[in-house]
């Protein structure tokens, strides 16, 4: 097996986040699920955008956010995702390349437009996301760069993109390409609603040994295993994957690999401004540690440090020097 030229290649939704602060009353008035992620259509996207106050546009998407964190720490990364030939598509492509991430997926002509996520942020930092998937759900298997997938140490996939049929087929093809090349596959479950729709698929991937690193939060763990008790959920799932990582918000995170179990507390922050991207950046820190051969506990600590940076400001892309921050806090 040849040495990989890249650390991580990811496949995910190519989304531009549109973020605005709001009061709790707005969430209730608009009938949104507080703290959740809801898929919306074109008309809903227009309506909700009209309800937003002054907003910021920041390139996002779960896997793309993770790569932005990885690149900021020093990893060599590539991204595969579908944008349209429009202004937001140009914004996304510019931002991800400016972060030092290779992005060669050709933009798609015509409708639908580039995906966007309308994020309402309440005073406590909680984010309520309304996602219009647009062009991102039309990523064809033909758009995959199979050589690039085979040439990366790790393939990272986001559960959100498993929902639409076309990219789901593309990700299955990518998993096969990574497996054939002897590379590792990491998968994030993304959200309980995705598990509700595709849990059987995910369980088959796990049972087939197609996932080397699985990321989940407490809610997703319960949804996938059917166990409401956290430790019972860990006990049920950990033996099925080489590395299981479960985040617990302010309670920190736990990872299990074979007979080894490690846990870390959440890193302290002065004030939680916006939790958008916390899980994505946790994955960035963890994966960086993993591809660099760090211990399970060190991987968790790196993840917690990255997550603490991202929740201290608006947006899901790092603003501080993550590499310097990790070096300082890790000693």
């Amino acid at each position: 097996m040849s040495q990989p030229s890249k650390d991580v290649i990811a496949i995910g939704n190519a989304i531009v986040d549109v973020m605005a602060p709001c009061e709790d009353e707005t969430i209730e008035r608009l009938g949104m699920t507080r703290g959740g992620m809801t898929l919306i259509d074109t008309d809903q996207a227009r309506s909700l955008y009209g309800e937003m106050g002054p907003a910021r546009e920041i390139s996002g998407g779960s896997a793309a956010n993770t790569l932005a964190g990885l690149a900021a720490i020093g990893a060599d990364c590539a991204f595969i995702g579908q944008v349209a030939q429009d202004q937001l598509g140009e914004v996304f492509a510019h931002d991800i390349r400016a972060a030092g991430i290779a992005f060669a997926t050709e933009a798609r002509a015509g409708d639908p437009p580039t995906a966007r996520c309308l994020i309402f942020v309440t005073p406590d930092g909680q984010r309520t996301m309304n996602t219009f998937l647009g062009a991102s759900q039309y990523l064809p298997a033909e758009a995959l760069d199979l050589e690039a997938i085979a040439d990366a140490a790790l393939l990272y996939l986001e559960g959100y993109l498993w929902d639409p049929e076309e990219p789901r087929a593309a990700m299955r093809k990518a998993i096969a390409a990574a497996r054939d090349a002897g590379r590792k596959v990491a998968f994030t479950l993304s959200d309980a609603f995705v598990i509700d729709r595709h849990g059987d698929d995910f369980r088959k991937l796990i049972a087939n040994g197609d996932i080397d690193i699985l990321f989940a939060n407490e809610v997703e763990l319960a949804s996938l295993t059917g166990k409401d008790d956290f430790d019972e959920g860990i006990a049920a799932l950990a033996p099925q994957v080489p590395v299981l990582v479960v985040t617990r918000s302010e309670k920190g995170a736990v990872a299990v690999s074979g007979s080894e179990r490690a846990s870390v507390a959440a890193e302290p922050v002065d004030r939680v401004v916006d939790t958008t991207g916390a899980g994505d950046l946790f994955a960035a820190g963890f994966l960086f540690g993993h591809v660099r051969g760090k211990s399970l506990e060190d991987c968790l600590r790196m993840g917690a440090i990255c997550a603490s940076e991202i929740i201290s400001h608006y947006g899901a892309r790092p603003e501080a020097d993550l590499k310097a921050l990790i070096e300082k806090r890790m000693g």
Side-chain angles (χ1 to χ4, degrees):
M1 184 171 64
S2 62
Q3 281 295 109
S5 66
K6 294 216 176 294
D7 294 308
V8 179
I9 188 167
I11 302 176
N13 282 308
I15 296 177
V16 176
D17 290 338
V18 182
M19 309 181 62
C22 75
E23 298 301 320
D24 291 300
E25 178 274 332
T26 303
I27 303 295
E28 296 175 12
R29 178 171 58 82
L30 296 175
M32 293 186 286
T33 302
R34 176 181 164 81
M37 199 289 281
T38 303
L39 294 177
I40 58 174
D41 58 25
T42 306
D43 290 340
Q44 289 172 305
R46 291 197 182 103
S47 176
L48 286 175
Y49 184 68
E51 294 282 354
M52 300 184 90
R56 293 175 61 190
E57 293 178 353
I58 308 168
S59 292
S62 176
N65 292 337
T66 296
L67 289 189
L70 276 158
I73 307 168
D76 193 353
C77 303
F79 180 72
I80 298 171
Q82 189 68 65
V83 297
Q85 293 177 355
D86 56 21
Q87 184 178 0
L88 286 184
E90 292 176 5
V91 167
F92 181 90
H94 169 271
D95 286 356
I96 200 161
R97 289 171 183 149
I101 299 162
F103 176 56
T105 311
E106 188 174 341
R108 187 176 187 272
D111 287 330
T114 296
R116 70 284 315 264
C117 183
L118 308 179
I119 304 175
F120 292 74
V121 186
T122 44
D124 62 353
Q126 184 67 262
R127 81 279 186 271
T128 299
M129 300 184 292
N130 302 272
T131 303
F132 170 62
L133 289 172
S136 69
Q137 61 187 326
Y138 293 96
L139 175 72
E142 300 77 49
L144 297 180
D145 185 338
L146 298 180
E147 288 186 6
I149 292 170
D151 202 26
L154 188 142
L155 170 67
Y156 181 66
L157 306 171
E158 67 169 90
Y160 284 134
L161 197 58
W162 199 264
D163 203 50
E165 182 178 351
E166 201 164 9
R168 183 164 66 248
M171 286 196 285
R172 289 190 186 279
K173 185 175 181 179
I175 291 171
R179 279 275 165 257
D180 288 345
R183 308 306 189 193
K184 290 186 177 181
V185 177
F187 194 97
T188 177
L189 292 170
S190 294
D191 197 286
F193 94 88
V194 182
I195 300 168
D196 289 343
R197 293 164 65 97
H198 302 287
D200 287 344
D201 274 356
F202 298 159
R203 294 179 192 101
K204 286 178 184 176
L205 289 174
I206 292 167
N208 290 341
D210 288 331
I211 297 175
D212 298 289
I213 305 171
L214 182 66
F215 290 94
N217 63 27
E218 286 183 288
V219 175
E220 294 154 8
L221 176 68
S223 181
L224 189 69
T225 63
K227 309 285 187 183
D228 290 331
D229 180 82
F230 178 76
D231 289 321
E232 288 183 8
I234 292 282
L237 189 56
Q240 301 182 55
V241 289
V243 181
L244 173 65
V245 185
V246 184
T247 56
R248 309 185 73 188
S249 299
E250 72 279 0
K251 291 179 283 187
V254 173
V256 182
S257 179
S259 60
E260 182 186 0
R261 175 171 171 148
S263 61
V264 296
E267 287 285 312
V269 292
D270 291 334
R271 186 168 78 93
V272 176
V273 175
D274 170 29
T275 57
T276 306
D280 303 334
L281 269 292
F282 185 96
F286 187 95
L287 290 175
F288 183 83
H290 183 81
V291 297
R292 292 294 185 267
K294 301 294 184 181
S295 69
L296 207 57
E297 184 174 351
D298 280 351
C299 292
L300 286 174
R301 284 201 64 203
M302 288 180 179
I305 291 166
C306 291
S308 72
E309 190 281 333
I310 216 69
I311 64 175
S312 67
H313 59 78
Y314 280 115
R317 300 285 171 93
E319 294 181 355
D321 184 335
L322 285 184
K323 188 175 182 180
L325 192 62
I326 287 172
E327 288 174 355
K328 178 182 178 181
R329 296 197 187 178
M330 297 285 290

